[in-house]
Structures are given as structure tokens and as C-alpha cells.
Coordinates of all heavy atoms in Angstrom, one line a residue:
M1 N -7.9 9.9 6.3 CA -7.1 8.7 5.8 C -5.7 8.7 6.4 O -5.0 9.6 6.3 CB -7.1 8.7 4.3 CG -7.1 7.4 3.6 SD -8.4 6.4 4.2 CE -8.4 5.1 3.0
K2 N -5.4 7.6 7.0 CA -4.1 7.5 7.7 C -2.9 7.2 6.7 O -1.8 7.4 7.0 CB -4.1 6.5 8.8 CG -5.0 6.9 9.9 CD -5.0 6.0 11.1 CE -5.7 6.5 12.2 NZ -5.7 5.6 13.4
I3 N -3.3 6.5 5.6 CA -2.3 6.1 4.7 C -2.5 6.8 3.3 O -3.6 6.9 2.9 CB -2.3 4.6 4.6 CG1 -1.7 4.0 5.9 CG2 -1.4 4.1 3.4 CD1 -1.8 2.5 6.0
K4 N -1.4 7.2 2.8 CA -1.5 8.0 1.5 C -0.6 7.3 0.5 O 0.4 6.6 0.9 CB -1.0 9.4 1.7 CG -1.9 10.3 2.5 CD -1.3 11.7 2.5 CE -2.1 12.6 3.4 NZ -1.4 13.8 3.7
K5 N -0.9 7.6 -0.7 CA 0.0 7.1 -1.8 C 1.4 7.6 -1.6 O 1.7 8.7 -1.3 CB -0.6 7.7 -3.1 CG 0.0 7.2 -4.4 CD -0.8 7.8 -5.5 CE 0.0 7.7 -6.8 NZ -0.7 8.4 -7.9
G6 N 2.3 6.6 -1.9 CA 3.8 7.0 -1.7 C 4.3 6.7 -0.3 O 5.5 6.7 -0.2
D7 N 3.5 6.4 0.6 CA 4.0 6.0 2.0 C 4.6 4.6 1.9 O 4.3 3.8 1.0 CB 2.8 5.9 2.9 CG 2.2 7.2 3.4 OD1 2.9 8.2 3.2 OD2 1.1 7.2 3.9
T8 N 5.6 4.4 2.8 CA 6.1 3.1 2.9 C 5.3 2.4 4.1 O 5.2 2.9 5.1 CB 7.6 3.1 3.3 OG1 8.3 3.8 2.2 CG2 8.2 1.7 3.3
V9 N 4.9 1.2 3.8 CA 4.1 0.5 4.8 C 4.7 -1.0 5.0 O 5.4 -1.5 4.1 CB 2.6 0.4 4.4 CG1 2.0 1.7 4.4 CG2 2.4 -0.3 3.1
V10 N 4.3 -1.6 6.1 CA 4.6 -3.0 6.3 C 3.3 -3.8 6.4 O 2.4 -3.3 7.0 CB 5.6 -3.2 7.5 CG1 5.0 -2.6 8.7 CG2 6.0 -4.6 7.7
V11 N 3.3 -4.9 5.8 CA 2.1 -5.7 5.8 C 2.1 -6.6 7.1 O 3.1 -7.1 7.4 CB 2.0 -6.7 4.6 CG1 0.8 -7.6 4.6 CG2 2.1 -5.9 3.3
T12 N 1.0 -6.6 7.8 CA 1.0 -7.3 9.1 C 0.3 -8.6 9.1 O 0.3 -9.3 10.2 CB 0.4 -6.3 10.2 OG1 -1.0 -6.0 9.8 CG2 1.2 -5.1 10.4
V13 N -0.4 -9.0 8.1 CA -1.1 -10.3 8.1 C -0.8 -11.0 6.7 O -0.3 -10.4 5.8 CB -2.6 -10.2 8.2 CG1 -2.9 -9.6 9.6 CG2 -3.2 -9.3 7.1
G14 N -1.1 -12.3 6.7 CA -1.1 -13.0 5.5 C 0.2 -13.5 5.1 O 1.2 -13.4 5.8
K15 N 0.3 -14.0 3.8 CA 1.6 -14.6 3.4 C 2.7 -13.5 3.2 O 3.9 -13.9 3.1 CB 1.4 -15.5 2.2 CG 1.2 -14.8 0.9 CD 1.2 -15.8 -0.3 CE 0.5 -15.3 -1.5 NZ 1.2 -14.3 -2.3
D16 N 2.3 -12.3 3.0 CA 3.3 -11.2 2.8 C 3.6 -10.5 4.1 O 4.1 -9.4 4.1 CB 2.8 -10.2 1.8 CG 2.9 -10.8 0.4 OD1 3.9 -11.5 0.1 OD2 2.0 -10.6 -0.4
R17 N 3.2 -11.1 5.3 CA 3.5 -10.5 6.5 C 5.0 -10.1 6.7 O 5.9 -10.8 6.4 CB 3.1 -11.4 7.7 CG 3.3 -10.8 9.1 CD 3.1 -11.8 10.1 NE 1.8 -12.5 10.0 CZ 1.4 -13.4 10.8 NH1 2.1 -13.9 11.7 NH2 0.2 -14.0 10.6
G18 N 5.2 -8.9 7.1 CA 6.6 -8.4 7.3 C 7.1 -7.7 6.0 O 8.2 -7.1 6.1
K19 N 6.4 -7.8 4.9 CA 7.0 -7.2 3.7 C 6.7 -5.7 3.7 O 5.7 -5.2 4.1 CB 6.3 -7.9 2.5 CG 7.0 -7.7 1.2 CD 6.4 -8.6 0.1 CE 7.1 -9.9 -0.1 NZ 6.6 -10.6 -1.2
R20 N 7.8 -5.0 3.2 CA 7.6 -3.6 3.1 C 7.5 -3.2 1.7 O 8.1 -3.8 0.8 CB 8.9 -2.9 3.7 CG 8.9 -2.9 5.2 CD 10.2 -2.3 5.7 NE 10.2 -2.4 7.2 CZ 10.7 -1.5 8.0 NH1 11.4 -0.5 7.5 NH2 10.7 -1.7 9.3
G21 N 6.8 -2.1 1.5 CA 6.7 -1.6 0.1 C 6.0 -0.3 0.1 O 5.5 0.2 1.1
R22 N 6.1 0.3 -1.1 CA 5.5 1.6 -1.3 C 4.0 1.5 -1.6 O 3.6 0.6 -2.3 CB 6.2 2.4 -2.4 CG 6.7 3.7 -2.0 CD 7.8 4.2 -3.0 NE 7.8 3.5 -4.3 CZ 7.2 3.9 -5.3 NH1 6.4 5.0 -5.3 NH2 7.3 3.2 -6.5
V23 N 3.2 2.4 -1.1 CA 1.8 2.4 -1.5 C 1.6 3.0 -2.9 O 2.0 4.1 -3.1 CB 1.0 3.2 -0.5 CG1 -0.5 3.3 -0.9 CG2 1.1 2.6 0.9
L24 N 1.1 2.1 -3.8 CA 0.9 2.6 -5.1 C -0.5 3.3 -5.3 O -0.6 4.2 -6.2 CB 1.0 1.4 -6.1 CG 2.3 0.6 -6.0 CD1 2.2 -0.6 -6.9 CD2 3.4 1.4 -6.5
R25 N -1.4 2.8 -4.6 CA -2.8 3.3 -4.8 C -3.6 3.1 -3.5 O -3.4 2.1 -2.8 CB -3.5 2.5 -6.0 CG -4.7 3.2 -6.5 CD -4.8 2.8 -8.0 NE -5.1 1.4 -8.3 CZ -6.4 0.9 -8.2 NH1 -7.4 1.7 -7.8 NH2 -6.6 -0.3 -8.4
V26 N -4.4 4.1 -3.2 CA -5.3 3.9 -2.1 C -6.8 4.0 -2.6 O -7.1 4.8 -3.4 CB -5.1 5.1 -1.0 CG1 -6.0 4.9 0.1 CG2 -3.6 5.1 -0.6
S27 N -7.5 3.1 -2.1 CA -8.9 3.1 -2.4 C -9.8 3.4 -1.2 O -10.1 2.4 -0.5 CB -9.3 1.7 -3.1 OG -10.6 1.6 -3.3
P28 N -10.0 4.6 -0.9 CA -10.7 5.0 0.4 C -12.1 4.4 0.5 O -12.5 4.1 1.6 CB -10.8 6.5 0.3 CG -9.9 7.0 -0.8 CD -9.8 5.8 -1.8
R29 N -12.8 4.3 -0.5 CA -14.2 3.8 -0.4 C -14.2 2.4 0.0 O -15.0 2.0 0.9 CB -14.9 3.9 -1.8 CG -16.4 3.7 -1.7 CD -17.1 3.9 -3.0 NE -17.0 5.3 -3.4 CZ -17.4 5.7 -4.6 NH1 -17.9 4.9 -5.5 NH2 -17.2 7.0 -5.0
E30 N -13.3 1.6 -0.5 CA -13.2 0.2 0.0 C -12.3 0.0 1.2 O -12.2 -1.1 1.7 CB -12.8 -0.7 -1.2 CG -13.8 -1.0 -2.3 CD -13.4 -0.3 -3.6 OE1 -12.3 -0.6 -4.1 OE2 -14.1 0.6 -4.0
G31 N -11.6 1.0 1.5 CA -10.7 0.9 2.6 C -9.5 0.0 2.3 O -9.1 -0.8 3.2
R32 N -9.0 0.1 1.1 CA -8.0 -0.8 0.7 C -6.8 -0.1 0.1 O -6.9 1.0 -0.4 CB -8.5 -1.9 -0.3 CG -9.3 -2.9 0.3 CD -10.0 -3.8 -0.7 NE -11.0 -4.5 0.0 CZ -10.8 -5.6 0.7 NH1 -9.6 -6.1 0.8 NH2 -11.8 -6.2 1.3
V33 N -5.6 -0.7 0.2 CA -4.4 -0.1 -0.4 C -3.8 -1.2 -1.3 O -3.9 -2.4 -1.1 CB -3.4 0.3 0.7 CG1 -3.9 1.5 1.4 CG2 -3.0 -0.8 1.6
F34 N -3.0 -0.7 -2.2 CA -2.2 -1.5 -3.1 C -0.8 -1.2 -2.8 O -0.3 -0.1 -2.9 CB -2.6 -1.2 -4.6 CG -4.0 -1.6 -5.0 CD1 -5.0 -0.8 -4.6 CD2 -4.2 -2.8 -5.6 CE1 -6.3 -1.1 -5.0 CE2 -5.5 -3.2 -5.9 CZ -6.6 -2.3 -5.6
V35 N -0.1 -2.3 -2.4 CA 1.3 -2.1 -2.0 C 2.2 -2.8 -2.9 O 2.0 -4.0 -3.3 CB 1.5 -2.7 -0.5 CG1 3.0 -2.5 -0.1 CG2 0.6 -2.0 0.4
E36 N 3.3 -2.1 -3.3 CA 4.2 -2.6 -4.3 C 4.8 -4.0 -3.8 O 5.3 -4.0 -2.6 CB 5.4 -1.6 -4.3 CG 6.3 -1.8 -5.4 CD 7.3 -0.6 -5.5 OE1 7.8 -0.2 -4.4 OE2 7.5 0.0 -6.6
G37 N 4.7 -5.0 -4.6 CA 5.3 -6.3 -4.2 C 4.5 -7.1 -3.2 O 5.0 -8.2 -2.9
A38 N 3.4 -6.7 -2.7 CA 2.6 -7.4 -1.7 C 1.3 -7.9 -2.3 O 0.7 -7.3 -3.2 CB 2.4 -6.6 -0.5
A39 N 0.9 -9.1 -1.8 CA -0.4 -9.7 -2.3 C -0.4 -9.8 -3.8 O -1.5 -9.6 -4.4 CB -1.6 -8.9 -1.7
Q40 N 0.7 -10.2 -4.3 CA 0.8 -10.3 -5.8 C -0.2 -11.2 -6.4 O -0.4 -12.3 -5.9 CB 2.2 -10.8 -6.2 CG 3.3 -9.8 -5.9 CD 3.4 -8.7 -6.9 OE1 2.6 -8.5 -7.8 NE2 4.5 -8.0 -6.9
R41 N -0.8 -10.8 -7.4 CA -1.6 -11.8 -8.2 C -1.2 -11.7 -9.7 O -0.8 -10.7 -10.2 CB -3.1 -11.6 -8.0 CG -3.6 -10.2 -7.9 CD -4.8 -10.1 -7.1 NE -4.5 -10.6 -5.8 CZ -5.4 -10.8 -4.8 NH1 -6.6 -10.5 -5.0 NH2 -5.0 -11.2 -3.6
V42 N -1.5 -12.8 -10.3 CA -1.1 -12.9 -11.7 C -2.4 -12.8 -12.6 O -3.4 -13.5 -12.4 CB -0.4 -14.3 -12.0 CG1 0.0 -14.3 -13.5 CG2 0.8 -14.4 -11.1
R43 N -2.4 -11.8 -13.4 CA -3.5 -11.7 -14.4 C -3.0 -12.3 -15.7 O -1.9 -12.0 -16.1 CB -3.9 -10.2 -14.6 CG -4.1 -9.4 -13.3 CD -5.3 -10.0 -12.5 NE -6.5 -10.2 -13.4 CZ -7.4 -9.3 -13.4 NH1 -7.4 -8.2 -12.7 NH2 -8.5 -9.5 -14.1
H44 N -3.9 -13.0 -16.4 CA -3.6 -13.5 -17.6 C -4.3 -12.7 -18.7 O -5.5 -12.5 -18.7 CB -4.1 -15.0 -17.7 CG -3.5 -15.9 -16.7 ND1 -2.4 -16.6 -17.0 CD2 -3.7 -16.0 -15.4 CE1 -2.0 -17.3 -15.9 NE2 -2.8 -16.9 -14.9
R45 N -3.4 -12.1 -19.6 CA -4.0 -11.3 -20.6 C -4.1 -12.0 -21.9 O -3.1 -12.6 -22.3 CB -3.1 -10.0 -20.7 CG -3.7 -9.0 -21.6 CD -2.8 -7.8 -21.8 NE -2.7 -7.0 -20.5 CZ -1.8 -6.2 -20.2 NH1 -0.8 -6.0 -21.0 NH2 -1.8 -5.5 -19.1
R46 N -5.2 -12.0 -22.5 CA -5.4 -12.7 -23.8 C -4.8 -11.9 -24.9 O -4.6 -10.7 -24.9 CB -6.9 -12.8 -24.1 CG -7.8 -13.4 -23.0 CD -9.0 -14.0 -23.5 NE -9.1 -15.4 -23.1 CZ -8.7 -16.4 -23.9 NH1 -8.2 -16.2 -25.1 NH2 -8.8 -17.7 -23.4
P47 N -4.4 -12.7 -26.0 CA -3.9 -12.0 -27.1 C -4.9 -11.1 -27.8 O -6.1 -11.5 -27.9 CB -3.4 -13.1 -28.1 CG -4.1 -14.3 -27.6 CD -4.4 -14.2 -26.1
R48 N -4.6 -9.9 -28.2 CA -5.5 -9.0 -28.8 C -5.6 -9.2 -30.3 O -6.7 -9.2 -30.9 CB -5.1 -7.6 -28.5 CG -5.4 -7.1 -27.1 CD -6.9 -6.9 -27.0 NE -7.4 -7.2 -25.6 CZ -7.3 -6.4 -24.6 NH1 -6.9 -5.1 -24.8 NH2 -7.7 -6.7 -23.4
R49 N -4.5 -9.4 -30.9 CA -4.4 -9.6 -32.4 C -3.9 -11.0 -32.7 O -3.2 -11.6 -31.8 CB -3.5 -8.5 -33.0 CG -4.3 -7.2 -33.3 CD -3.3 -6.1 -33.6 NE -2.7 -5.5 -32.4 CZ -1.5 -5.2 -32.2 NH1 -0.6 -5.3 -33.2 NH2 -1.1 -4.7 -31.1
S50 N -4.2 -11.5 -33.8 CA -3.7 -12.8 -34.2 C -2.2 -12.7 -34.3 O -1.6 -11.7 -34.8 CB -4.3 -13.3 -35.5 OG -3.9 -12.4 -36.6
G51 N -1.5 -13.8 -33.9 CA 0.0 -13.7 -33.9 C 0.6 -13.2 -32.6 O 1.7 -13.5 -32.3
E52 N -0.2 -12.5 -31.8 CA 0.3 -12.0 -30.6 C 0.1 -13.0 -29.5 O -0.9 -13.8 -29.6 CB -0.6 -10.7 -30.2 CG 0.2 -9.7 -29.4 CD -0.7 -8.4 -29.3 OE1 -1.7 -8.5 -28.7 OE2 -0.2 -7.4 -29.7
K53 N 0.9 -13.0 -28.5 CA 0.8 -14.0 -27.4 C 0.0 -13.4 -26.2 O 0.1 -12.2 -26.0 CB 2.2 -14.4 -27.0 CG 2.8 -15.4 -28.0 CD 3.8 -16.3 -27.2 CE 4.4 -17.4 -28.1 NZ 5.7 -17.0 -28.6
G54 N -0.6 -14.3 -25.5 CA -1.2 -13.8 -24.2 C -0.1 -13.6 -23.2 O 1.0 -14.1 -23.4
Q55 N -0.3 -12.9 -22.2 CA 0.7 -12.6 -21.2 C 0.3 -12.8 -19.8 O -0.9 -12.7 -19.6 CB 1.2 -11.1 -21.4 CG 2.1 -10.9 -22.5 CD 2.6 -9.4 -22.5 OE1 1.8 -8.5 -22.5 NE2 3.9 -9.2 -22.6
R56 N 1.2 -13.1 -19.0 CA 0.9 -13.1 -17.6 C 1.5 -11.9 -16.9 O 2.7 -11.7 -17.0 CB 1.4 -14.4 -16.9 CG 0.9 -15.6 -17.6 CD 1.1 -16.9 -16.9 NE 2.3 -16.8 -16.0 CZ 2.6 -17.8 -15.1 NH1 1.9 -18.8 -15.1 NH2 3.7 -17.7 -14.4
V57 N 0.6 -11.1 -16.3 CA 1.1 -9.9 -15.7 C 0.9 -9.9 -14.2 O -0.2 -10.2 -13.7 CB 0.2 -8.7 -16.3 CG1 0.8 -7.3 -15.7 CG2 0.2 -8.7 -17.8
T58 N 2.0 -9.7 -13.5 CA 1.9 -9.7 -12.0 C 1.6 -8.3 -11.6 O 2.2 -7.3 -12.0 CB 3.2 -10.2 -11.3 OG1 4.3 -9.8 -12.1 CG2 3.1 -11.7 -11.1
M59 N 0.7 -8.2 -10.6 CA 0.4 -6.9 -10.1 C -0.1 -7.0 -8.6 O -0.5 -8.1 -8.2 CB -0.7 -6.2 -10.9 CG -1.9 -7.0 -11.2 SD -3.2 -6.1 -11.9 CE -2.5 -5.6 -13.5
P60 N 0.1 -6.0 -7.8 CA -0.3 -6.1 -6.4 C -1.8 -6.2 -6.3 O -2.5 -5.5 -7.0 CB 0.3 -4.9 -5.7 CG 0.6 -4.0 -6.8 CD 0.8 -4.7 -8.1
G61 N -2.3 -7.0 -5.4 CA -3.7 -7.0 -5.1 C -4.1 -6.1 -3.9 O -3.2 -5.6 -3.3
P62 N -5.4 -5.9 -3.7 CA -5.8 -5.1 -2.6 C -5.5 -5.7 -1.2 O -5.7 -6.9 -1.0 CB -7.3 -4.9 -2.8 CG -7.7 -6.1 -3.6 CD -6.5 -6.5 -4.4
I63 N -5.2 -4.8 -0.3 CA -5.0 -5.2 1.1 C -5.8 -4.3 2.0 O -5.8 -3.1 1.7 CB -3.5 -5.1 1.5 CG1 -2.6 -5.9 0.6 CG2 -3.3 -5.5 3.0 CD1 -1.1 -5.6 0.9
A64 N -6.6 -4.9 2.9 CA -7.4 -4.0 3.8 C -6.5 -3.1 4.6 O -5.4 -3.5 5.0 CB -8.2 -4.9 4.8
I65 N -6.9 -1.9 4.7 CA -6.1 -0.8 5.3 C -5.6 -1.1 6.7 O -4.6 -0.7 7.2 CB -6.8 0.5 5.1 CG1 -5.8 1.6 4.9 CG2 -7.7 0.8 6.3 CD1 -6.3 2.8 4.1
G66 N -6.5 -1.9 7.4 CA -6.1 -2.3 8.8 C -5.0 -3.3 8.9 O -4.5 -3.6 9.9
N67 N -4.7 -3.9 7.7 CA -3.7 -4.9 7.7 C -2.3 -4.5 7.3 O -1.4 -5.3 7.0 CB -4.1 -6.1 6.7 CG -5.3 -6.8 7.3 OD1 -5.6 -6.7 8.5 ND2 -6.0 -7.5 6.4
V68 N -2.1 -3.2 7.2 CA -0.8 -2.6 6.9 C -0.5 -1.5 8.0 O -1.4 -1.0 8.6 CB -0.7 -1.9 5.5 CG1 -0.9 -3.0 4.4 CG2 -1.6 -0.8 5.4
R69 N 0.7 -1.4 8.3 CA 1.1 -0.3 9.2 C 2.2 0.6 8.5 O 3.0 0.1 7.8 CB 1.7 -0.8 10.5 CG 0.5 -1.0 11.5 CD 1.0 -1.2 12.9 NE 1.7 -2.5 13.0 CZ 2.4 -2.9 14.0 NH1 2.6 -2.1 15.0 NH2 2.9 -4.1 14.0
I70 N 2.1 1.9 8.8 CA 3.0 2.8 8.1 C 4.4 2.7 8.8 O 4.5 2.4 10.0 CB 2.4 4.2 8.3 CG1 3.1 5.1 7.3 CG2 2.5 4.8 9.7 CD1 2.3 6.4 7.0
V71 N 5.4 2.8 7.9 CA 6.8 2.8 8.4 C 7.2 4.3 8.6 O 7.2 5.0 7.6 CB 7.7 2.1 7.5 CG1 9.2 2.2 8.0 CG2 7.3 0.6 7.4
C72 N 7.6 4.6 9.8 CA 7.9 6.0 10.1 C 9.2 6.4 9.3 O 10.2 5.7 9.3 CB 8.1 6.2 11.6 SG 8.7 7.8 12.1
S73 N 9.2 7.6 8.7 CA 10.3 8.0 8.0 C 11.5 8.5 8.9 O 12.6 8.5 8.5 CB 10.0 9.1 7.0 OG 9.1 10.1 7.6
A74 N 11.1 8.8 10.2 CA 12.1 9.3 11.1 C 12.8 8.1 11.9 O 14.0 8.0 11.9 CB 11.5 10.3 12.1
C75 N 12.0 7.2 12.5 CA 12.6 6.2 13.3 C 12.6 4.8 12.6 O 13.2 3.9 13.1 CB 11.8 6.1 14.6 SG 10.1 5.5 14.5
G76 N 12.0 4.7 11.5 CA 12.1 3.5 10.7 C 11.3 2.3 11.2 O 11.4 1.2 10.8
K77 N 10.4 2.6 12.3 CA 9.6 1.5 12.8 C 8.2 1.5 12.2 O 7.7 2.5 11.8 CB 9.5 1.7 14.4 CG 10.8 1.4 15.1 CD 10.7 1.8 16.5 CE 12.0 1.7 17.2 NZ 12.0 2.5 18.5
A78 N 7.6 0.3 12.3 CA 6.2 0.2 11.9 C 5.4 0.8 13.1 O 5.4 0.3 14.2 CB 5.8 -1.2 11.6
A79 N 4.7 1.9 12.8 CA 4.0 2.6 13.9 C 2.5 2.8 13.6 O 2.1 2.7 12.4 CB 4.7 3.9 14.1
R80 N 1.8 3.1 14.6 CA 0.5 3.6 14.4 C 0.6 5.1 14.1 O 1.6 5.8 14.4 CB -0.4 3.4 15.6 CG -0.8 1.9 15.7 CD -1.5 1.6 17.0 NE -0.6 1.9 18.1 CZ -1.0 2.5 19.2 NH1 -2.2 3.0 19.3 NH2 -0.1 2.7 20.2
V81 N -0.5 5.7 13.6 CA -0.5 7.1 13.2 C -1.4 7.9 14.1 O -2.5 7.5 14.4 CB -0.9 7.2 11.7 CG1 -1.0 8.7 11.3 CG2 0.0 6.4 10.8
G82 N -0.9 9.0 14.6 CA -1.7 9.9 15.3 C -1.8 11.2 14.5 O -1.1 11.4 13.5
F83 N -2.7 12.1 15.0 CA -2.8 13.4 14.3 C -2.5 14.5 15.2 O -2.7 14.4 16.4 CB -4.2 13.5 13.7 CG -4.5 12.6 12.5 CD1 -5.2 11.4 12.7 CD2 -4.0 13.0 11.3 CE1 -5.4 10.6 11.6 CE2 -4.2 12.1 10.2 CZ -4.9 10.9 10.4
H84 N -2.1 15.6 14.6 CA -1.6 16.7 15.4 C -1.8 17.9 14.6 O -1.6 17.9 13.4 CB -0.1 16.5 15.7 CG 0.6 17.7 16.3 ND1 0.4 18.0 17.6 CD2 1.5 18.6 15.8 CE1 1.1 19.1 17.9 NE2 1.8 19.4 16.8
M85 N -2.3 19.0 15.2 CA -2.4 20.2 14.5 C -1.2 21.0 14.5 O -0.7 21.5 15.6 CB -3.6 21.1 15.0 CG -5.0 20.4 14.9 SD -5.4 20.0 13.2 CE -5.8 21.6 12.6
G86 N -0.6 21.2 13.3 CA 0.7 22.0 13.3 C 0.5 23.2 12.4 O -0.6 23.5 12.0
E87 N 1.6 23.8 12.1 CA 1.6 24.8 11.0 C 1.1 24.1 9.8 O 1.4 23.0 9.6 CB 2.9 25.5 10.7 CG 3.9 25.6 11.9 CD 4.8 24.4 12.1 OE1 5.5 24.1 11.2 OE2 4.7 23.8 13.2
G88 N 0.5 24.7 8.8 CA 0.1 23.9 7.6 C -1.0 23.0 7.9 O -1.2 22.1 7.1
G89 N -1.7 23.0 9.0 CA -2.9 22.2 9.3 C -2.6 20.9 9.9 O -1.7 20.8 10.7
K90 N -3.4 19.9 9.6 CA -3.4 18.6 10.2 C -2.1 17.9 9.7 O -1.9 17.8 8.6 CB -4.6 17.9 9.8 CG -5.0 16.7 10.7 CD -6.4 16.4 10.2 CE -6.9 15.1 10.9 NZ -8.2 14.6 10.2
Q91 N -1.4 17.4 10.7 CA -0.2 16.6 10.4 C -0.3 15.2 10.9 O -0.9 15.0 12.0 CB 1.0 17.2 11.0 CG 1.5 18.4 10.2 CD 2.8 19.0 10.8 OE1 2.9 19.1 12.0 NE2 3.7 19.2 9.9
R92 N 0.2 14.3 10.2 CA 0.3 12.9 10.8 C 1.6 12.7 11.6 O 2.6 13.2 11.2 CB 0.3 11.9 9.6 CG -1.0 12.0 8.8 CD -1.0 11.0 7.7 NE 0.2 11.2 6.8 CZ 0.6 10.3 5.9 NH1 0.0 9.1 5.8 NH2 1.6 10.5 5.2
I93 N 1.4 12.1 12.7 CA 2.6 11.9 13.5 C 2.8 10.4 13.9 O 1.8 9.7 13.9 CB 2.6 12.7 14.9 CG1 1.4 12.4 15.7 CG2 2.8 14.2 14.6 CD1 1.5 12.8 17.1
C94 N 4.0 10.0 14.1 CA 4.3 8.7 14.5 C 4.1 8.5 16.0 O 4.5 9.3 16.8 CB 5.8 8.4 14.2 SG 6.5 6.9 14.9
K95 N 3.3 7.5 16.3 CA 3.0 7.2 17.7 C 4.2 6.7 18.5 O 4.1 6.7 19.7 CB 1.8 6.2 17.8 CG 0.5 6.8 17.4 CD -0.3 7.2 18.6 CE -1.8 7.4 18.2 NZ -2.5 7.9 19.3
K96 N 5.2 6.3 17.8 CA 6.4 5.8 18.5 C 7.4 6.9 18.9 O 7.9 6.9 20.0 CB 7.1 4.7 17.7 CG 6.2 3.4 17.7 CD 7.1 2.2 17.8 CE 6.3 0.9 18.1 NZ 6.3 0.0 17.0
C97 N 7.7 7.8 17.9 CA 8.7 8.8 18.2 C 8.1 10.2 18.2 O 8.8 11.1 18.6 CB 9.8 8.7 17.2 SG 9.4 9.1 15.5
G98 N 6.9 10.4 17.8 CA 6.2 11.6 17.9 C 6.6 12.6 16.8 O 6.2 13.8 16.8
V99 N 7.4 12.2 15.8 CA 7.8 13.0 14.7 C 6.7 13.0 13.6 O 6.1 12.0 13.4 CB 9.2 12.6 14.2 CG1 9.5 13.3 12.9 CG2 10.2 12.8 15.2
A100 N 6.5 14.2 13.0 CA 5.6 14.3 11.9 C 6.0 13.4 10.7 O 7.2 13.4 10.4 CB 5.4 15.7 11.5
I101 N 5.1 12.7 10.1 CA 5.4 11.9 9.0 C 5.2 12.7 7.7 O 4.2 13.4 7.5 CB 4.5 10.6 8.9 CG1 4.8 9.8 10.1 CG2 4.6 9.9 7.6 CD1 3.8 8.7 10.4
A102 N 6.2 12.7 6.8 CA 6.1 13.5 5.6 C 4.9 13.2 4.7 O 4.5 12.0 4.6 CB 7.4 13.2 4.8
Ligands
ZN1 ZN1 8.7 7.3 14.3

């Protein structure tokens, strides 16, 4: 998996193109990620008890993993990810500057 929870990514398609955010959740089976502030959708929550009000809750929707690119922590650019065997095993590296991504 090239993208992990906690990474900063930039969305490359759709109405949120260019938006940056942190990855909140990765769903490897579906190949999707949930990015903070991107692909927002509004869920309407019904009242549970009488007297309580329904609520509208905004939350990020799923984005296909191919539609986001990781933002390199070293050079700050949206880059593709390569792999490299370093100390501590497999490391992800930035294809633009060659530095390992945290
Ligand atoms: Zn870089």
C-alpha cells in the first residue's frame, strides 16, 4: 500500500482537485482512502429519542486511491511513491527528490 493513515495527500480529480488533507482512513480492500476535508458528504442523522433533533453530520467520503497523490514531507511536492530497501526494511521514497517518506 502506497498510502497510509496519517499521510498528507493531494486530491487530483473531481471537485476537490488540488485540496490537501490528512488521510484519516485507508480501505485497502476497496482501494479507497478517506481524506480530511475532501469529498465531503452530509449524513442526516435521525433523532434517537423524542425531543431530540436530527442532525446533519459532514464527513469525508471515499476517494479511489489512484485519485490522490502523496505530498512529500521533504520537498512538499505531490509525488509518486517508489520503494527502496533500507535499514528497517522496505521504505517509501519520493520519486521527485528521492528522500524516504516518514
Ligand atoms: Zn520529495
Side-chain angles (χ1 to χ4, degrees):
M1 212 51 166
K2 291 183 173 181
I3 289 172
K4 289 180 183 169
K5 189 175 161 185
D7 286 345
T8 302
V9 295
V10 56
V11 179
T12 56
V13 295
K15 75 173 161 71
D16 285 322
R17 184 188 303 180
K19 199 172 261 185
R20 286 179 184 210
R22 234 161 18 90
V23 175
L24 301 174
R25 195 148 70 80
V26 179
S27 173
R29 192 175 298 173
E30 287 110 61
R32 288 171 192 279
V33 291
F34 293 79
V35 180
E36 195 172 46
Q40 290 283 11
R41 43 206 56 186
V42 181
R43 307 301 308 265
H44 298 263
R45 190 180 289 160
R46 308 206 122 265
R48 282 289 147 84
R49 276 165 276 140
S50 63
E52 210 173 61
K53 283 204 174 103
Q55 282 184 309
R56 304 197 329 176
V57 184
T58 33
M59 49 171 65
I63 303 173
I65 214 150
N67 293 341
V68 299
R69 269 194 291 168
I70 196 160
V71 176
C72 173
S73 46
C75 67
K77 290 174 189 159
R80 284 173 299 134
V81 177
F83 289 98
H84 172 74
M85 295 304 286
E87 326 90 61
K90 202 169 169 188
Q91 282 185 315
R92 297 181 301 165
I93 55 162
C94 168
K95 287 263 196 184
K96 288 216 167 116
C97 67
V99 170
I101 294 167

